[in-house]
């Protein structure tokens, strides 16, 4: 009786069969959509490589080349710039020529490093870093920021002070300033204008052709001054060495004689220094700014070149 038992297969409902079928067909679709979302969340590496290659090949080298053109322009400007009066006594025109040649050399080396960046990236970077750091150091010295200034480094603030305060040099400078007629021009430009706007005057005219403002003198004209009655020179001006070892102030050294005036005054010496220092201060600021910009640009080019090589392997 047990042998006659028949096993009847149980048929699944049609609804459950279709559900399982649809679930199995939907699984790969959900997986593919998840993969697409995960891929879309990742950064586009190909686009990044393209941007880096574009910067390494075109943008950064072109920017660096145009940046180096400022070196060429400033060098030409220094070569053709008119020298200040009497600065040839200190040998500054020769220093100005050497500075122009140095800027031209940096311009050539910078563009050579750009041309050879693919063959010799590391040597080109090392050479440019050394040259630009040296140029920055010189710029800081010219701008008066770097305190490590020696008397042998020309056209710095300390160098000017040492040269101008030397009696032999100052006698030659004083004669040159007198021969150029700086005070003669002052007499014709400011005949009877009072009070005089001394801040707008050139430093040499203000220091050599007029007594210091602390002397409290009255002016008949721009080059003729007289002291008020019962009023001596203020103590803070008594800082200049006299001819026989005594101390004379700028107020006492002033004479209405056109050949004397205040040419021996300390204010005249500092006025001469200020008239020369401005050009070299501007050169120092330019050297500092351009060296920093070129250093950053060459470093970026070096990194972009190595990135391009790494991705090309």
């Amino acid at each position: 009786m047990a042998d006659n038992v028949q096993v009847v297969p149980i048929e699944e409902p049609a609804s459950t069969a279709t559900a399982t079928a649809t679930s199995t067909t939907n699984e790969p679709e959900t997986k593919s959509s998840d993969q697409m979302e995960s891929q879309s969340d990742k950064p586009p590496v190909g686009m990044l490589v393209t941007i880096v290659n574009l910067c390494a090949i075109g943008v950064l080298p072109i920017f660096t080349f145009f940046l180096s053109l400022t070196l060429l322009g400033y060098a030409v400007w220094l070569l053709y710039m008119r020298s200040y009066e009497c600065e040839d006594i200190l040998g500054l025109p020769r220093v100005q020529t050497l500075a122009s040649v140095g800027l031209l050399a940096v311009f050539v080396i910078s563009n050579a490093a750009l041309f050879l960046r693919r063959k010799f990236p590391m040597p080109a970077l090392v050479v440019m870093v050394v040259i630009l750091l040296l140029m920055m150091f010189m710029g800081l010295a010219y701008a008066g920021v770097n305190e490590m200034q020696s008397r042998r480094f020309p056209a710095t603030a300390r160098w000017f002070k040492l040269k101008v305060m030397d009696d032999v040099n100052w006698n030659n400078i004083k004669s040159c300033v007198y021969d150029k007629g700086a005070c003669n021009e002052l007499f014709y430009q400011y005949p009877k204008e009072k009070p005089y706007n001394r801040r707008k005057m050139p430093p040499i005219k203000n220091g050599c052709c007029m007594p210091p403002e602390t002397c409290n003198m009255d002016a008949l004209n721009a080059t003729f001054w007289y002291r008020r009655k019962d009023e001596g020179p203020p103590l803070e001006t008594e800082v200049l060495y006299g001819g026989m070892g005594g101390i004379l102030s700028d107020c006492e050294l002033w004479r209405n004689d056109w050949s004397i005036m205040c040419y021996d005054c300390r204010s005249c010496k500092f006025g001469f220094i200020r008239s020369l220092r401005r050009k070299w201060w501007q050169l120092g600021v330019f050297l500092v700014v351009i060296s920093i910009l070129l250093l950053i640009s060459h470093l970026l080019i070096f990194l972009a070149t190595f990135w391009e090589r790494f991705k090309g392997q």
Side-chain angles (χ1 to χ4, degrees):
M1 187 172 180
D3 296 336
N4 294 331
V5 175
Q6 295 180 356
V7 179
V8 179
I10 300 174
E11 295 182 358
E12 295 181 355
S15 60
T16 58
T18 55
T20 56
T22 54
S23 64
T24 55
T25 55
N26 288 334
E27 286 180 358
E29 293 180 358
T30 55
K31 290 182 179 179
S32 61
S33 62
D34 293 338
Q35 292 177 356
M36 292 177 63
E37 291 178 357
S38 62
Q39 291 178 358
S40 62
D41 293 337
K42 295 181 180 180
V45 180
M47 183 179 298
L48 181 60
V49 174
T50 304
I51 293 174
V52 172
N53 292 337
L54 182 61
C55 292
I57 296 173
V59 177
L60 285 175
I62 293 175
F63 173 76
T64 306
F65 171 74
F66 281 105
L67 195 61
S68 65
L69 286 178
T70 58
L71 295 171
L72 181 62
Y74 208 97
V76 174
W77 178 73
L78 281 178
L79 285 175
Y80 288 95
M81 183 181 181
R82 182 182 65 85
S83 300
Y84 287 104
E85 295 179 351
C86 307
E87 70 175 2
D88 55 336
I89 297 175
L90 302 178
L92 290 178
R94 183 180 61 182
V95 179
Q96 186 171 325
T97 303
L98 291 176
S100 301
V101 174
L103 291 177
L104 291 175
V106 175
F107 169 77
V108 173
I109 295 173
S110 176
N111 288 281
L114 286 178
F115 182 75
L116 300 174
R117 70 185 185 277
R118 295 184 180 277
K119 293 183 179 180
F120 311 103
M122 184 61 73
L125 178 66
V126 171
V127 171
M128 286 307 303
V129 167
V130 172
I131 292 176
L132 292 176
L133 288 179
L134 180 61
M135 189 169 70
M136 187 190 308
F137 176 80
M138 295 178 63
L140 291 174
Y142 282 129
V145 178
N146 186 10
E147 296 296 336
M148 299 177 60
Q149 300 173 1
S150 63
R151 66 177 65 186
R152 294 185 178 181
F153 198 80
T156 60
R158 183 180 177 187
W159 183 87
F160 273 119
K161 188 174 181 180
L162 290 173
K163 291 291 184 180
V164 173
M165 293 302 172
D166 183 73
D167 292 336
V168 177
N169 290 332
W170 180 246
N171 288 331
N172 296 328
I173 294 170
K174 178 176 63 174
S175 300
C176 178
V177 172
Y178 176 77
D179 294 337
K180 295 295 182 179
C183 296
N184 298 342
E185 297 176 1
L186 181 64
F187 177 77
Y188 293 109
Q189 290 178 2
Y190 307 93
K192 292 184 179 180
E193 298 180 7
K194 293 188 292 186
Y196 303 104
N197 192 354
R198 304 182 65 160
R199 294 183 179 179
K200 294 184 179 180
M201 293 182 181
I204 292 181
K205 293 182 173 62
N206 191 7
C208 301
C209 307
M210 292 182 175
E213 292 182 289
T214 54
C215 296
N216 297 322
M217 292 185 178
D218 291 329
L220 183 62
N221 55 42
T223 57
F224 192 93
W225 297 71
Y226 58 93
R227 187 173 300 164
R228 298 169 187 172
K229 293 182 178 180
D230 299 329
E231 188 171 303
L235 295 177
E236 61 266 19
T237 60
E238 297 180 356
V239 292
L240 189 71
Y241 291 100
M244 299 301 293
I247 297 178
L248 296 177
S249 68
D250 285 359
C251 302
E252 293 174 336
L253 287 171
W254 166 260
R255 296 292 183 272
N256 288 315
D257 187 348
W258 280 51
S259 62
I260 300 176
M261 288 194 169
C262 213
Y263 289 122
D264 287 323
C265 298
R266 198 174 177 86
S267 60
C268 184
K269 296 179 180 180
F270 283 116
F272 180 75
I273 292 175
R274 284 196 299 270
S275 65
L276 299 183
R277 272 288 297 154
R278 181 171 179 80
K279 175 175 63 176
W280 297 98
W281 179 83
Q282 291 175 348
L283 176 62
V285 173
F286 171 77
L287 291 179
V288 172
V289 173
I290 197 65
S291 59
I292 293 174
L293 293 178
L294 284 176
L295 187 61
I296 295 174
S297 181
H298 278 282
L299 283 174
L300 292 177
I301 290 175
F302 173 78
L303 294 176
T305 303
F306 263 81
W307 177 269
E308 183 183 7
R309 284 190 176 185
F310 176 76
K311 287 300 180 180
Q313 293 178 355

PDB file of all heavy atoms in Angstrom, residues 241-262:
ATOM      1  N   TYR A 241      80.916 118.105  12.810  1.00  0.00           N
ATOM      2  CA  TYR A 241      82.284 118.397  13.199  1.00  0.00           C
ATOM      3  C   TYR A 241      82.810 119.606  12.434  1.00  0.00           C
ATOM      4  O   TYR A 241      82.661 119.695  11.217  1.00  0.00           O
ATOM      5  CB  TYR A 241      83.169 117.182  12.925  1.00  0.00           C
ATOM      6  CG  TYR A 241      82.872 116.037  13.831  1.00  0.00           C
ATOM      7  CD1 TYR A 241      82.090 114.977  13.396  1.00  0.00           C
ATOM      8  CD2 TYR A 241      83.354 116.011  15.133  1.00  0.00           C
ATOM      9  CE1 TYR A 241      81.806 113.910  14.233  1.00  0.00           C
ATOM     10  CE2 TYR A 241      83.077 114.956  15.986  1.00  0.00           C
ATOM     11  CZ  TYR A 241      82.303 113.906  15.524  1.00  0.00           C
ATOM     12  OH  TYR A 241      82.014 112.861  16.350  1.00  0.00           O
ATOM     13  N   GLY A 242      83.431 120.518  13.164  1.00  0.00           N
ATOM     14  CA  GLY A 242      83.988 121.700  12.550  1.00  0.00           C
ATOM     15  C   GLY A 242      85.392 121.492  12.048  1.00  0.00           C
ATOM     16  O   GLY A 242      85.947 120.402  12.113  1.00  0.00           O
ATOM     17  N   GLY A 243      86.015 122.575  11.553  1.00  0.00           N
ATOM     18  CA  GLY A 243      87.312 122.456  10.919  1.00  0.00           C
ATOM     19  C   GLY A 243      88.448 122.196  11.899  1.00  0.00           C
ATOM     20  O   GLY A 243      89.393 121.505  11.587  1.00  0.00           O
ATOM     21  N   MET A 244      88.398 122.745  13.135  1.00  0.00           N
ATOM     22  CA  MET A 244      89.503 122.609  14.075  1.00  0.00           C
ATOM     23  C   MET A 244      89.167 121.665  15.220  1.00  0.00           C
ATOM     24  O   MET A 244      89.660 121.785  16.327  1.00  0.00           O
ATOM     25  CB  MET A 244      89.864 123.992  14.639  1.00  0.00           C
ATOM     26  CG  MET A 244      90.317 124.980  13.584  1.00  0.00           C
ATOM     27  SD  MET A 244      91.756 124.408  12.669  1.00  0.00           S
ATOM     28  CE  MET A 244      92.988 124.438  13.967  1.00  0.00           C
ATOM     29  N   GLY A 245      88.337 120.706  14.976  1.00  0.00           N
ATOM     30  CA  GLY A 245      88.010 119.723  15.996  1.00  0.00           C
ATOM     31  C   GLY A 245      86.835 120.110  16.862  1.00  0.00           C
ATOM     32  O   GLY A 245      86.385 119.324  17.673  1.00  0.00           O
ATOM     33  N   GLY A 246      86.313 121.347  16.730  1.00  0.00           N
ATOM     34  CA  GLY A 246      85.137 121.722  17.483  1.00  0.00           C
ATOM     35  C   GLY A 246      83.884 121.189  16.832  1.00  0.00           C
ATOM     36  O   GLY A 246      83.915 120.606  15.759  1.00  0.00           O
ATOM     37  N   ILE A 247      82.753 121.379  17.505  1.00  0.00           N
ATOM     38  CA  ILE A 247      81.474 120.905  16.991  1.00  0.00           C
ATOM     39  C   ILE A 247      80.652 122.112  16.579  1.00  0.00           C
ATOM     40  O   ILE A 247      80.395 123.005  17.375  1.00  0.00           O
ATOM     41  CB  ILE A 247      80.734 120.076  18.050  1.00  0.00           C
ATOM     42  CG1 ILE A 247      81.547 118.827  18.389  1.00  0.00           C
ATOM     43  CG2 ILE A 247      79.361 119.682  17.564  1.00  0.00           C
ATOM     44  CD1 ILE A 247      80.916 117.985  19.464  1.00  0.00           C
ATOM     45  N   LEU A 248      80.249 122.134  15.335  1.00  0.00           N
ATOM     46  CA  LEU A 248      79.430 123.217  14.809  1.00  0.00           C
ATOM     47  C   LEU A 248      78.112 122.636  14.327  1.00  0.00           C
ATOM     48  O   LEU A 248      78.053 121.535  13.788  1.00  0.00           O
ATOM     49  CB  LEU A 248      80.135 123.914  13.646  1.00  0.00           C
ATOM     50  CG  LEU A 248      81.445 124.643  13.971  1.00  0.00           C
ATOM     51  CD1 LEU A 248      82.050 125.211  12.707  1.00  0.00           C
ATOM     52  CD2 LEU A 248      81.219 125.730  14.997  1.00  0.00           C
ATOM     53  N   SER A 249      77.053 123.389  14.499  1.00  0.00           N
ATOM     54  CA  SER A 249      75.746 122.952  14.040  1.00  0.00           C
ATOM     55  C   SER A 249      75.538 123.382  12.602  1.00  0.00           C
ATOM     56  O   SER A 249      76.258 124.225  12.056  1.00  0.00           O
ATOM     57  CB  SER A 249      74.659 123.550  14.933  1.00  0.00           C
ATOM     58  OG  SER A 249      74.615 124.955  14.743  1.00  0.00           O
ATOM     59  N   ASP A 250      74.544 122.770  11.969  1.00  0.00           N
ATOM     60  CA  ASP A 250      74.191 123.184  10.618  1.00  0.00           C
ATOM     61  C   ASP A 250      73.769 124.647  10.579  1.00  0.00           C
ATOM     62  O   ASP A 250      74.012 125.346   9.585  1.00  0.00           O
ATOM     63  CB  ASP A 250      73.051 122.300  10.087  1.00  0.00           C
ATOM     64  CG  ASP A 250      73.552 120.917   9.697  1.00  0.00           C
ATOM     65  OD1 ASP A 250      74.762 120.673   9.830  1.00  0.00           O
ATOM     66  OD2 ASP A 250      72.728 120.092   9.261  1.00  0.00           O
ATOM     67  N   CYS A 251      73.146 125.106  11.653  1.00  0.00           N
ATOM     68  CA  CYS A 251      72.710 126.503  11.699  1.00  0.00           C
ATOM     69  C   CYS A 251      73.903 127.457  11.732  1.00  0.00           C
ATOM     70  O   CYS A 251      73.871 128.537  11.129  1.00  0.00           O
ATOM     71  CB  CYS A 251      71.824 126.731  12.920  1.00  0.00           C
ATOM     72  SG  CYS A 251      70.361 125.671  12.972  1.00  0.00           S
ATOM     73  N   GLU A 252      74.946 127.078  12.416  1.00  0.00           N
ATOM     74  CA  GLU A 252      76.143 127.914  12.480  1.00  0.00           C
ATOM     75  C   GLU A 252      76.967 127.838  11.210  1.00  0.00           C
ATOM     76  O   GLU A 252      77.695 128.776  10.878  1.00  0.00           O
ATOM     77  CB  GLU A 252      76.997 127.501  13.681  1.00  0.00           C
ATOM     78  CG  GLU A 252      76.337 127.790  15.026  1.00  0.00           C
ATOM     79  CD  GLU A 252      77.142 127.228  16.180  1.00  0.00           C
ATOM     80  OE1 GLU A 252      77.915 126.279  15.966  1.00  0.00           O
ATOM     81  OE2 GLU A 252      76.999 127.741  17.296  1.00  0.00           O
ATOM     82  N   LEU A 253      76.846 126.744  10.510  1.00  0.00           N
ATOM     83  CA  LEU A 253      77.603 126.600   9.267  1.00  0.00           C
ATOM     84  C   LEU A 253      76.946 127.328   8.102  1.00  0.00           C
ATOM     85  O   LEU A 253      77.585 127.527   7.068  1.00  0.00           O
ATOM     86  CB  LEU A 253      77.758 125.113   8.918  1.00  0.00           C
ATOM     87  CG  LEU A 253      78.742 124.333   9.795  1.00  0.00           C
ATOM     88  CD1 LEU A 253      78.637 122.845   9.504  1.00  0.00           C
ATOM     89  CD2 LEU A 253      80.170 124.813   9.554  1.00  0.00           C
ATOM     90  N   TRP A 254      75.685 127.660   8.233  1.00  0.00           N
ATOM     91  CA  TRP A 254      74.993 128.336   7.136  1.00  0.00           C
ATOM     92  C   TRP A 254      75.578 129.715   6.901  1.00  0.00           C
ATOM     93  O   TRP A 254      75.814 130.489   7.810  1.00  0.00           O
ATOM     94  CB  TRP A 254      73.508 128.451   7.438  1.00  0.00           C
ATOM     95  CG  TRP A 254      72.810 129.420   6.524  1.00  0.00           C
ATOM     96  CD1 TRP A 254      72.468 130.714   6.793  1.00  0.00           C
ATOM     97  CD2 TRP A 254      72.425 129.175   5.176  1.00  0.00           C
ATOM     98  NE1 TRP A 254      71.880 131.306   5.705  1.00  0.00           N
ATOM     99  CE2 TRP A 254      71.837 130.384   4.689  1.00  0.00           C
ATOM    100  CE3 TRP A 254      72.511 128.091   4.323  1.00  0.00           C
ATOM    101  CZ2 TRP A 254      71.337 130.498   3.402  1.00  0.00           C
ATOM    102  CZ3 TRP A 254      72.012 128.197   3.037  1.00  0.00           C
ATOM    103  CH2 TRP A 254      71.439 129.392   2.581  1.00  0.00           C
ATOM    104  N   ARG A 255      75.815 130.025   5.620  1.00  0.00           N
ATOM    105  CA  ARG A 255      76.258 131.353   5.194  1.00  0.00           C
ATOM    106  C   ARG A 255      75.442 131.753   3.964  1.00  0.00           C
ATOM    107  O   ARG A 255      75.085 130.912   3.138  1.00  0.00           O
ATOM    108  CB  ARG A 255      77.751 131.346   4.830  1.00  0.00           C
ATOM    109  CG  ARG A 255      78.687 131.043   5.991  1.00  0.00           C
ATOM    110  CD  ARG A 255      78.684 132.170   7.022  1.00  0.00           C
ATOM    111  NE  ARG A 255      79.629 131.897   8.084  1.00  0.00           N
ATOM    112  CZ  ARG A 255      79.340 131.213   9.176  1.00  0.00           C
ATOM    113  NH1 ARG A 255      78.129 130.686   9.340  1.00  0.00           N
ATOM    114  NH2 ARG A 255      80.268 131.023  10.115  1.00  0.00           N
ATOM    115  N   ASN A 256      75.197 133.067   3.867  1.00  0.00           N
ATOM    116  CA  ASN A 256      74.496 133.570   2.696  1.00  0.00           C
ATOM    117  C   ASN A 256      75.415 133.716   1.494  1.00  0.00           C
ATOM    118  O   ASN A 256      74.967 134.147   0.432  1.00  0.00           O
ATOM    119  CB  ASN A 256      73.831 134.911   3.021  1.00  0.00           C
ATOM    120  CG  ASN A 256      72.633 134.747   3.943  1.00  0.00           C
ATOM    121  OD1 ASN A 256      71.807 133.868   3.735  1.00  0.00           O
ATOM    122  ND2 ASN A 256      72.552 135.565   4.987  1.00  0.00           N
ATOM    123  N   ASP A 257      76.653 133.379   1.640  1.00  0.00           N
ATOM    124  CA  ASP A 257      77.599 133.362   0.519  1.00  0.00           C
ATOM    125  C   ASP A 257      77.251 132.191  -0.397  1.00  0.00           C
ATOM    126  O   ASP A 257      77.143 131.052   0.035  1.00  0.00           O
ATOM    127  CB  ASP A 257      79.021 133.213   1.054  1.00  0.00           C
ATOM    128  CG  ASP A 257      80.071 133.370  -0.038  1.00  0.00           C
ATOM    129  OD1 ASP A 257      79.690 133.374  -1.231  1.00  0.00           O
ATOM    130  OD2 ASP A 257      81.263 133.480   0.301  1.00  0.00           O
ATOM    131  N   TRP A 258      77.112 132.469  -1.678  1.00  0.00           N
ATOM    132  CA  TRP A 258      76.692 131.442  -2.620  1.00  0.00           C
ATOM    133  C   TRP A 258      77.714 130.322  -2.740  1.00  0.00           C
ATOM    134  O   TRP A 258      77.359 129.208  -3.157  1.00  0.00           O
ATOM    135  CB  TRP A 258      76.444 132.074  -3.997  1.00  0.00           C
ATOM    136  CG  TRP A 258      75.110 132.746  -4.095  1.00  0.00           C
ATOM    137  CD1 TRP A 258      74.591 133.670  -3.232  1.00  0.00           C
ATOM    138  CD2 TRP A 258      74.132 132.524  -5.089  1.00  0.00           C
ATOM    139  NE1 TRP A 258      73.356 134.061  -3.628  1.00  0.00           N
ATOM    140  CE2 TRP A 258      73.032 133.367  -4.787  1.00  0.00           C
ATOM    141  CE3 TRP A 258      74.059 131.724  -6.212  1.00  0.00           C
ATOM    142  CZ2 TRP A 258      71.883 133.417  -5.555  1.00  0.00           C
ATOM    143  CZ3 TRP A 258      72.913 131.766  -6.994  1.00  0.00           C
ATOM    144  CH2 TRP A 258      71.842 132.599  -6.666  1.00  0.00           C
ATOM    145  N   SER A 259      78.945 130.576  -2.431  1.00  0.00           N
ATOM    146  CA  SER A 259      79.959 129.535  -2.521  1.00  0.00           C
ATOM    147  C   SER A 259      80.034 128.682  -1.252  1.00  0.00           C
ATOM    148  O   SER A 259      80.732 127.673  -1.244  1.00  0.00           O
ATOM    149  CB  SER A 259      81.335 130.166  -2.774  1.00  0.00           C
ATOM    150  OG  SER A 259      81.712 131.020  -1.703  1.00  0.00           O
ATOM    151  N   ILE A 260      79.306 129.071  -0.200  1.00  0.00           N
ATOM    152  CA  ILE A 260      79.351 128.324   1.068  1.00  0.00           C
ATOM    153  C   ILE A 260      77.979 127.747   1.390  1.00  0.00           C
ATOM    154  O   ILE A 260      77.827 126.531   1.498  1.00  0.00           O
ATOM    155  CB  ILE A 260      79.847 129.231   2.216  1.00  0.00           C
ATOM    156  CG1 ILE A 260      81.249 129.756   1.919  1.00  0.00           C
ATOM    157  CG2 ILE A 260      79.826 128.466   3.536  1.00  0.00           C
ATOM    158  CD1 ILE A 260      81.769 130.728   2.964  1.00  0.00           C
ATOM    159  N   MET A 261      77.005 128.643   1.574  1.00  0.00           N
ATOM    160  CA  MET A 261      75.639 128.262   1.939  1.00  0.00           C
ATOM    161  C   MET A 261      75.647 127.155   2.990  1.00  0.00           C
ATOM    162  O   MET A 261      76.191 127.325   4.083  1.00  0.00           O
ATOM    163  CB  MET A 261      74.859 127.867   0.694  1.00  0.00           C
ATOM    164  CG  MET A 261      74.510 129.071  -0.171  1.00  0.00           C
ATOM    165  SD  MET A 261      73.280 128.689  -1.385  1.00  0.00           S
ATOM    166  CE  MET A 261      72.909 130.336  -1.935  1.00  0.00           C
ATOM    167  N   CYS A 262      75.077 125.979   2.651  1.00  0.00           N
ATOM    168  CA  CYS A 262      75.056 124.879   3.617  1.00  0.00           C
ATOM    169  C   CYS A 262      75.727 123.638   3.020  1.00  0.00           C
ATOM    170  O   CYS A 262      75.341 122.507   3.339  1.00  0.00           O
ATOM    171  CB  CYS A 262      73.616 124.557   4.029  1.00  0.00           C
ATOM    172  SG  CYS A 262      73.453 124.003   5.749  1.00  0.00           S
TER     173      CYS A 262
END
